[in-house]
Amino acid sequence: MARDQPDRDVDSPAETTASDDERNSSGVIDRRSYLKLAGATAITAGVGATAASAASGDYDVIEARGQTIRIDSGETWENKLIDFGDRNDILIVAKGTNWTIRNIGFTGTIPYNETIFGVCDSGSGTSVMENIYFGESTGEQPASERSICIWVDPDHSGHLDVKRVNFNVPGNNGIYGSAPAYNGDGGTIALDHCYGNDCHHTAFRIGDCGMSIENCVSYKSGTRAANRNSWVWEGNYGGGATVRNSHFITNGTGSSLVTHGDPDLTVENVHTDDGRGDGSNPRHFVPDGCPESGEQAASGGTGGRASSLPADNGDDGDDATDALPENTLLVDGAGTSGGTRYEFSVSGAAEKATIKGTMIEDEDTIESGHVTGTVANWKDAFRFDGELTDLTVDGDARIYVNGERVDPADYGQRQPHVLTLVGNGSAANYEITVDGMIDTVASNDSDEYATVVSDNTVEGSIECGAQRFKFSGTLTDVTFLDGSAHVYLDDQRIDPDQYGEQELLPHAIVIDGTDTDGESTYSFSVDGEVVTSSYRDASIDSGDEITGNDASGSVNDQIDAYWFDGDITDFRLRGDAAVDVEYNVRSK
């Protein structure tokens, strides 16, 4: 391979150079127009082919400035340190067959709304991406502006080995590799010893056309909203997908492994335990050989601290639940919009299970045969003993018992819990919230004195008498704005202070997309607290995200609203939605 400085002293700092591939390239491919690599054939890189790596420590430094670099069939592009600076973009396109990209490191801050690598093996050969480090990122990218580190074009028809790649870029996507399976030419991808750090919305995205994730780790810190560690899509070619000897840490934020459609998925020795956000979990590690800095990657060095996960400590399919009888319950949210909350009770024992590739999630809870959980566009599964006695589903997910679809209405009440307020003679105003669905009771005082402001919230007033509410899920908040009353949950008196620790926030922000065409996305920050709200008949959507003082979401012919205190310190909107900020709403 022709190098700009083949005789550089390896002990001296690398110098910034303008390589032949930069001088001879021009134009930028827009990922938002689908990043069709076929449209980039006019871009040339001037990269020579080689079969040998450069000496350790010898690398070129490239300053990102909007350029495009192309790697063609049979070529090797290696030993580069690319400096983003302050979010400057660069696009590296590899199309053809039997090409290699290795020993690539990044420094500076990754840009918004860009693709860094656009690749595919468009022949029947094997191409390689190995020993790559992406960094850094400040992590504050709005949801609609997060970059993709590696995009695999639908034209991918060969095989791509992705080995020892460190996606150390909080707030960005890792590898988007599912398109060839469902919308392209059916090429395969093998991820091995890769690491994802707070990648959003997905670290590793693949399809079930022979693709795999092995010996990989993906970590969610729990300090910012995040979606998926890995995502497996059903495709059109067969061949299945495998996730093996890997570890996914969620810290209660996002999901470990999500499926789209009904992929043919094999899960072996996959760990999903929760490190709870302090970074001290002993299973939070960078896989063996995966570089831990841009300079280390560019010089051909490697890092990591463990070669693979022990084979005797993980979930290796259905074997872990063989102690229970073969009664199964599957909650299938694939293809649904929004989230679904479910709960059910059985007369015997219940245990989480892996059925048809489902993952065991820490967020699902089991207490004495009573199970609660949520799904969005994925599946949860359980094995149980005895009979299914109660089943409540709030959402569009489908329920299968022993492989047969069932109607939740055939199992107990839709809203099995009762909350009762008993007046004590003093006038009181209240707000009640559950994480399921709540409603007033016909012919009861609650019908007259309470208002259902959303599926999960009621507001009202009481002085004497009793008001009853039916609900599903868990009681999350009982707040008296003034006055007090006795509160009973399923015949047991409770202390409302244990359920109403959150102070009602005074201000509202409303993003109204009802009179617009198309979707509007938004993000904002406040210097106080912020929570979702049903104010002005707004919807509360599972896709809206709140992390600390930051909120983001989208509206399309609907309204989103939030309560907050303090001041709005940053606001961004893409689209035509109307935005209203109303201060001290509750005192009006």
Side-chain angles (χ1 to χ4, degrees):
M1 178 177 180
R3 304 191 62 80
D4 299 313
Q5 294 177 311
D7 300 322
R8 179 185 299 133
D9 180 359
V10 297
D11 295 325
S12 65
E15 298 179 14
T16 301
T17 67
S19 58
D20 290 340
D21 45 277
E22 292 184 273
R23 295 189 187 99
N24 296 335
S25 64
S26 61
V28 176
I29 297 175
D30 181 7
R31 172 172 63 85
R32 299 302 175 181
S33 61
Y34 208 57
L35 193 63
K36 290 298 293 181
L37 300 183
T41 55
I43 299 174
T44 59
V47 182
T50 181
S53 297
S56 177
D58 184 17
Y59 57 84
D60 300 322
V61 178
I62 299 173
E63 291 184 352
R65 55 175 184 273
Q67 69 270 48
T68 299
I69 297 172
R70 183 178 177 86
I71 297 93
D72 291 318
S73 294
E75 294 182 337
T76 296
W77 197 63
E78 61 182 358
N79 297 95
K80 308 289 185 184
L81 182 65
I82 300 170
D83 184 6
F84 288 123
D86 186 13
R87 299 189 181 91
N88 298 317
D89 62 280
I90 185 171
L91 175 62
I92 304 155
V93 177
K95 186 172 184 181
T97 189
N98 296 323
W99 49 262
T100 297
I101 297 173
R102 65 182 171 215
N103 300 341
I104 309 297
F106 292 86
T107 61
T109 303
I110 196 169
Y112 291 161
N113 205 29
E114 298 293 341
T115 292
I116 311 306
F117 283 97
V119 304
C120 73
D121 188 301
S122 56
S124 57
T126 296
S127 295
V128 177
M129 300 185 74
E130 61 182 351
N131 208 54
I132 300 172
Y133 177 91
F134 289 93
E136 298 290 333
S137 167
T138 55
E140 85 285 10
Q141 285 86 338
S144 60
E145 297 185 11
R146 295 184 173 106
S147 294
I148 290 178
C149 295
I150 299 176
W151 160 269
V152 183
D153 190 88
D155 289 348
H156 178 58
S157 58
H159 178 74
L160 177 61
D161 281 325
V162 181
K163 300 182 290 187
R164 303 189 308 278
V165 176
N166 189 328
F167 300 101
N168 187 40
V169 281
N172 294 268
N173 293 273
I175 181 169
Y176 192 122
S178 57
Y182 67 85
N183 196 34
D185 293 337
T188 58
I189 303 170
L191 298 173
D192 189 14
H193 286 83
C194 294
Y195 175 75
N197 177 23
D198 265 337
C199 296
H200 186 95
H201 58 67
T202 306
F204 313 129
R205 175 168 170 164
I206 64 172
D208 70 344
C209 58
M211 299 188 186
S212 63
I213 300 170
E214 298 195 44
N215 305 311
C216 293
V217 176
S218 179
Y219 175 73
K220 304 288 189 185
S221 68
T223 60
R224 58 173 57 85
N227 287 358
R228 311 163 183 89
N229 281 307
S230 53
W231 200 4
V232 181
W233 280 56
E234 179 183 12
N236 304 318
Y237 291 91
T242 301
V243 182
R244 179 184 290 123
N245 296 339
S246 295
H247 189 71
F248 303 133
I249 300 170
T250 66
N251 284 305
T253 304
S255 302
S256 297
L257 194 157
V258 180
T259 58
H260 184 279
D262 190 16
D264 178 10
L265 175 60
T266 299
V267 178
E268 297 179 357
N269 192 33
V270 173
H271 300 253
T272 61
D273 53 315
D274 192 340
R276 292 299 168 195
D278 62 2
S280 64
N281 188 297
R283 293 195 180 279
H284 174 212
F285 56 86
V286 177
D288 184 40
C290 198
E292 298 187 68
S293 73
E295 292 79 2
Q296 186 183 65
S299 64
T302 60
R305 294 183 291 280
S307 59
S308 64
L309 295 175
D312 58 350
N313 282 331
D315 165 31
D316 57 355
D318 293 343
D319 293 343
T321 57
D322 285 344
L324 287 174
E326 290 302 309
N327 289 328
T328 63
L329 187 145
L330 176 68
V331 185
D332 185 358
T336 61
S337 59
T340 295
R341 190 196 180 282
Y342 62 86
E343 63 177 305
F344 65 90
S345 299
V346 297
S347 59
E351 185 169 311
K352 303 172 186 180
T354 54
I355 301 170
K356 297 187 69 176
T358 57
M359 287 301 300
I360 293 177
E361 298 290 346
D362 292 326
E363 292 83 358
D364 306 331
T365 61
I366 300 176
E367 296 181 0
S368 302
H370 185 76
V371 180
T372 60
T374 57
V375 296
N377 200 14
W378 66 85
K379 304 174 185 179
D380 285 352
F382 304 86
R383 295 189 185 278
F384 66 92
D385 192 10
E387 301 292 330
L388 178 64
T389 57
D390 290 290
L391 174 62
T392 301
V393 178
D394 300 330
D396 297 327
R398 301 167 295 279
I399 308 295
Y400 296 84
V401 176
N402 296 329
E404 298 290 332
R405 186 171 179 179
V406 301
D407 183 352
D410 294 338
Y411 297 87
Q413 303 177 52
R414 183 167 178 264
Q415 294 169 313
H417 305 298
V418 177
L419 183 77
T420 303
L421 302 183
V422 178
N424 59 14
S426 66
N429 293 292
Y430 59 82
E431 181 175 282
I432 301 167
T433 304
V434 301
D435 64 2
M437 299 182 68
I438 189 169
D439 208 343
T440 58
V441 175
S443 303
N444 183 261
D445 282 354
S446 61
D447 248 357
E448 181 178 355
Y449 296 104
T451 301
V452 179
V453 296
S454 70
D455 286 343
N456 63 351
T457 303
V458 295
E459 296 176 350
S461 61
I462 188 170
E463 183 172 355
C464 56
Q467 298 178 19
R468 299 173 64 238
F469 304 89
K470 296 194 301 181
F471 71 95
S472 62
T474 302
L475 178 65
T476 59
D477 184 82
V478 179
T479 298
F480 287 95
L481 284 70
D482 49 59
S484 63
H486 303 307
V487 183
Y488 294 83
L489 176 59
D490 292 336
D491 299 327
Q492 295 292 321
R493 186 172 177 179
I494 63 172
D495 180 359
D497 290 340
Q498 295 179 356
Y499 296 83
E501 298 177 356
Q502 177 177 298
E503 180 183 356
L504 295 181
L505 304 179
H507 315 314
I509 179 172
V510 180
I511 301 93
D512 187 350
T514 54
D515 294 328
T516 62
D517 294 327
E519 183 181 54
S520 296
T521 60
Y522 61 86
S523 65
F524 66 90
S525 302
V526 300
D527 58 10
E529 293 184 55
V530 59
V531 297
T532 56
S533 169
S534 59
Y535 179 60
R536 284 173 45 177
D537 296 324
S539 61
I540 297 179
D541 305 315
S542 59
D544 299 337
E545 301 173 359
I546 295 179
T547 306
N549 308 101
D550 305 321
S552 62
S554 62
V555 291
N556 189 347
D557 195 29
Q558 64 196 51
I559 298 174
D560 281 359
Y562 300 84
W563 297 115
F564 71 97
D565 63 1
D567 293 316
I568 297 175
T569 59
D570 181 71
F571 185 87
R572 303 186 186 193
L573 175 72
R574 175 173 293 180
D576 299 323
V579 179
D580 294 330
V581 179
E582 303 180 30
Y583 288 95
N584 299 312
V585 176
R586 297 182 188 273
S587 62
K588 294 179 181 179

